[in-house]
Structure formats: C-alpha cells, structure tokens
Amino acid sequence: MGSRRTTHDVAIIAMGCTPFRDHWHSSADDLLVDAVQECVGSLPSVTLDDVDAFWVGTQGSGMSGQTLARPLRLTGKPVTRVENYCATGSEAFRNAVFAVASGAYDMVMATGVEKLKDSSYSGLSAVYPPDDGTAVDWTAPAGFSLLAPAYQEAYGVDARDMRSALTKVAMKNHANGALNERAQFRKAVTVETVENSPRIAGPLGVMDCSGVSDGAAAAIIVRAEDAHRYTSKPIYLKGMSFVAGSGAGLASDGYDFTSFPEVVAAARQAYEQAGVTDPAAEISLAEVHDCFTPTEVVLMEDLGFSERGKAWRDLLDGRYDLGGALPVNTDGGLKSFGHPIGATGLRMMFECFTQLRGEAGARQVPGAKLAVAQNLGGQPGSCVAFVAVLGSER
C-alpha cells in the first residue's frame, strides 16, 4: 500500500489538555471547553471564529458534531465526530490534518474527549453491534495478557526476567507521571506494589493496567508555511500513517501474539514520509500506547526501537527511562496519565508538542528534535494503529 506525504506540509501551532483523572464535578462539555480554552488562549491573535472546521473524537461521550458545537456555541461551522476504538483522538487529528493539507481549510481544530467515570462500568465501556457469533469474547486485559507468555516462548525469556520487564514498564511510567501535574496517578511505585497487586488476567495485575479516567485535549493545525504567523515555536508533522487490520490474526494459526502487524506497517509508512531510516538512533522520545505493560514491551520492537527479542533487556537496562537513550512515555503514558479513550491520542500529541518546544519542565528531554506518537485500538490480532512523527524543525 502506498502512503505519501500530504500535498501541503502542516504544523501544530497550539494545544491544550486537561488533567486526566476522576472529574466527578465536570461534564464532557466542561472538559472540552477547558481544553479548547487552553489551546486557543495560548495564541493571542487567534479566536474560535478563526478556526474553519472542527473534529471531535469520542467513543461514548457524544453521537455527532454537536458534541463539540454545543459547549463551544459554534454556529455556521462544520464539526465532525469520529470514533476508531482507542485511537479515536488520533483519528480526529488525522482527519483535521488532511483537511488543511488538501487546501480545503486554512486553520482547523482537532479535539478528543471521554467521560468514563460517569458510566456504570469499572473499565472501558462499549456497545458492540450484532455479529455472526464468531468474534472472540474476551476482555481487554485477557487479550493483552497473552502477549507476555507468547513473548517468553518466542524468545526464550524466563518468567522472572519477563516479570521484571513488565514491572519496569509500570515503575518507569509512574515515575514519569509523578513529575506531571496533569497525570491521573502522581506517585512513584515500588517493585512490591506492582508485583503484589491483585491479579486481573494471566500474569497481569492491577498495576499492569492503564488507568480509567476522564479528560479532553485539543490541537490547532495550519499549513506549515503559515505557522510562524501565529507562534514562534510551531511543531511540524513529518510523517503520519494509520492502518486498520482485517482481524485475520485471530482467525489464523500464524498469529503468535508477539507483534502488532498494524503498528509495524503504520510505523514503516510514517518513517518513510519523515525520512527516518534508523528510528532507534534518530527519534528523541516516544509516546506509545501502554494500555498494559506487555504492550509497551512489544511496541518497542514493532516501532524499531529494539531488536526482536531484546526489548525486555533494553527496558531493564534503562534505555527507555527519562534519562535513557530514548525516553518513552515521558508524561506517564496511559499507565500513569490515564486513558479517556477519545482524548488519549491527542494527549500523546500534547506531550510531544510540549517536549519539542522545550516546555516539559522536570521531565524535559534535552535537545529533543523528533518525537513519535503511537496509538492503537482493538486487541492483539485485530487492531487499528496510528503512528506520527513530529519535529521541531520544518
């Protein structure tokens, strides 16, 4: 499949992001308003009237473009609601980018929101359409728990080493989240806390699972050549790809749960557009979809950051720590920052945007030039995957 650079290069000129946590006293409307106000408020010369078109991503907190138009009191503007599993926020961003890149609009806004804590569910909620009865009936923790034993079997990693690698993911991301005032969980955790947490599915305990939270995020996007009219520190989209898997993995004896093929394909296309030939050496930092701790282990290899079968070792050696060679999930990731479905993809963008502008404070990666945002949805063997490369230089 071909994947080309867009006709017009684009840039992000502003972003906003609420804290991700239990917002018992805020509605989805409130969260969207907060994120949008922060986003627009950072640009003295821009108002909502200057934005030509809007996208809002949400799984279950709205059914149409009015999810955004109503709280913002937008009139006479096109507003589109999108949904694509846990990659919904990235889908809002992707469609907004294409609208500017095509020349259809000069300035657009992508937003994402989710209010999960108001539901009657303790985890992610979804209403699935009727099917033919052949779909795999399992929970997200159950599906992703299969990654760990499959990885051990494929690469000869013993149980203790694998457990240590999963624990390192949780500890690293919670340590990063402790430095982030917007994160849901702002407390470092110990080995004992992670490994003694109640079991959820297979080898996964509570501390191997991402947080369920409320939140919203927003971004304003313009053509790259126009970016400096609005800000002295625009962030440029260097490459972007989205791949929707056919779901054949779950119906095939060939799928072994050691990789997300959709992520591999999306990363390859995004890197090609960005001119990245050695991601392990060229990428300054990455935000990845650590919905469960083994997911991050596998993603390090799918994104080309570690050799196959070596990510567990690289994690334990500190390669992906905040002070390591390639810091991953510097804001805490899904694990510590939280996971309101519609906002997560844009939250990843927000951290990349903040880091590339040199505004991340105590968690700043020195000299950051290129960042990766990787967002997925679905389940192993049947995923949708988004990968973007962002840069501080055009």
Side-chain angles (χ1 to χ4, degrees):
M1 181 180 69
S3 180
R4 301 178 180 85
R5 287 288 294 270
T6 51
T7 301
H8 297 283
D9 287 345
V10 304
I12 306 170
I13 57 171
M15 292 201 72
C17 184
T18 70
F20 283 13
R21 54 190 56 142
D22 300 354
H23 286 287
W24 297 114
H25 301 294
S26 297
S27 66
D29 286 5
D30 295 328
L31 295 172
L32 280 169
V33 168
D34 288 347
V36 169
Q37 284 183 337
E38 180 185 9
C39 183
V40 176
S42 67
L43 299 173
S45 64
V46 173
T47 70
L48 276 180
D49 289 338
D50 298 315
V51 181
D52 300 316
F54 300 78
W55 278 259
V56 57
T58 186
Q59 182 200 45
S61 296
M63 298 179 65
S64 74
Q66 286 189 320
T67 303
L68 185 66
R70 183 182 59 252
L72 296 187
R73 298 295 188 263
L74 300 174
T75 58
K77 301 280 188 175
V79 187
T80 304
R81 180 254 181 177
V82 298
E83 187 276 329
N84 221 332
Y85 283 157
C86 296
T88 290
S90 297
E91 185 72 347
F93 177 84
R94 187 174 73 101
N95 280 270
V97 163
F98 286 150
V100 168
S102 70
Y105 299 111
D106 296 325
M107 180 184 291
V108 300
M109 178 179 285
T111 67
V113 67
E114 214 70 65
K115 274 289 287 175
L116 294 174
K117 306 302 285 193
D118 288 351
S119 74
S120 59
Y121 296 91
S122 61
L124 305 185
S125 58
V127 178
Y128 295 100
D131 58 31
D132 62 3
T134 61
V136 176
D137 185 16
W138 57 8
T139 65
F144 284 88
S145 74
L146 300 178
L147 298 175
Y151 188 95
Q152 289 178 236
E153 177 69 20
Y155 300 116
V157 181
D158 68 38
R160 181 60 256 174
D161 285 339
M162 192 68 200
R163 180 61 261 177
S164 294
L166 302 185
T167 299
K168 180 58 184 278
V169 170
M171 293 177 64
K172 169 180 69 70
N173 294 351
H174 275 273
N176 293 345
L179 301 174
N180 190 344
E181 63 184 9
R182 301 177 196 247
Q184 182 178 18
F185 303 115
R186 296 200 59 207
K187 183 178 180 181
V189 296
T190 65
V191 170
E192 293 74 22
T193 298
V194 177
E195 298 188 359
N196 294 334
S197 64
R199 286 290 172 264
I200 298 298
L204 304 187
V206 169
M207 295 302 294
D208 290 297
C209 307
S210 59
V212 177
S213 57
D214 304 329
I220 295 178
I221 301 150
V222 300
R223 286 187 293 274
E225 60 263 33
D226 297 333
H228 277 280
R229 292 169 50 190
Y230 306 103
T231 178
S232 61
K233 294 192 288 186
I235 298 304
Y236 300 97
L237 179 64
K238 313 293 287 185
M240 177 181 70
S241 181
F242 177 85
V243 171
S246 67
L250 294 177
S252 168
D253 292 337
Y255 182 65
D256 66 359
F257 287 86
T258 65
S259 174
F260 301 97
E262 300 89 347
V263 174
V264 174
R268 182 177 64 249
Q269 294 166 13
Y271 291 156
E272 182 179 355
Q273 293 171 22
V276 172
T277 57
D278 184 1
E282 296 174 57
I283 300 302
S284 305
L285 68 133
E287 287 292 306
V288 308
H289 197 93
D290 59 320
C291 50
F292 302 94
T293 53
T295 314
E296 183 169 324
V297 177
V298 170
L299 289 172
M300 295 304 91
E301 299 177 9
D302 283 350
L303 290 167
F305 299 157
S306 286
E307 294 180 21
R308 288 291 174 188
K310 300 294 180 61
W312 70 274
R313 186 69 263 172
D314 288 343
L315 273 157
L316 293 177
D317 288 344
R319 173 172 171 75
Y320 303 117
D321 289 359
L322 190 57
L326 202 172
V328 171
N329 288 332
T330 56
D331 64 355
L334 281 72
K335 183 70 194 69
S336 182
F337 204 120
H339 182 29
I341 304 167
T344 286
L346 281 163
R347 184 272 301 162
M348 295 175 173
M349 293 282 183
F350 180 80
E351 177 66 7
C352 294
F353 180 82
T354 303
Q355 287 278 357
L356 292 171
R357 285 162 60 103
E359 299 171 349
R363 64 182 191 280
Q364 179 64 48
V365 176
K369 297 295 184 184
L370 283 179
V372 163
Q374 178 277 319
N375 194 197
L376 65 79
Q379 55 195 347
S382 182
C383 280
V384 297
F386 171 90
V387 177
V389 181
L390 301 171
S392 57
E393 300 174 357
R394 187 173 175 187

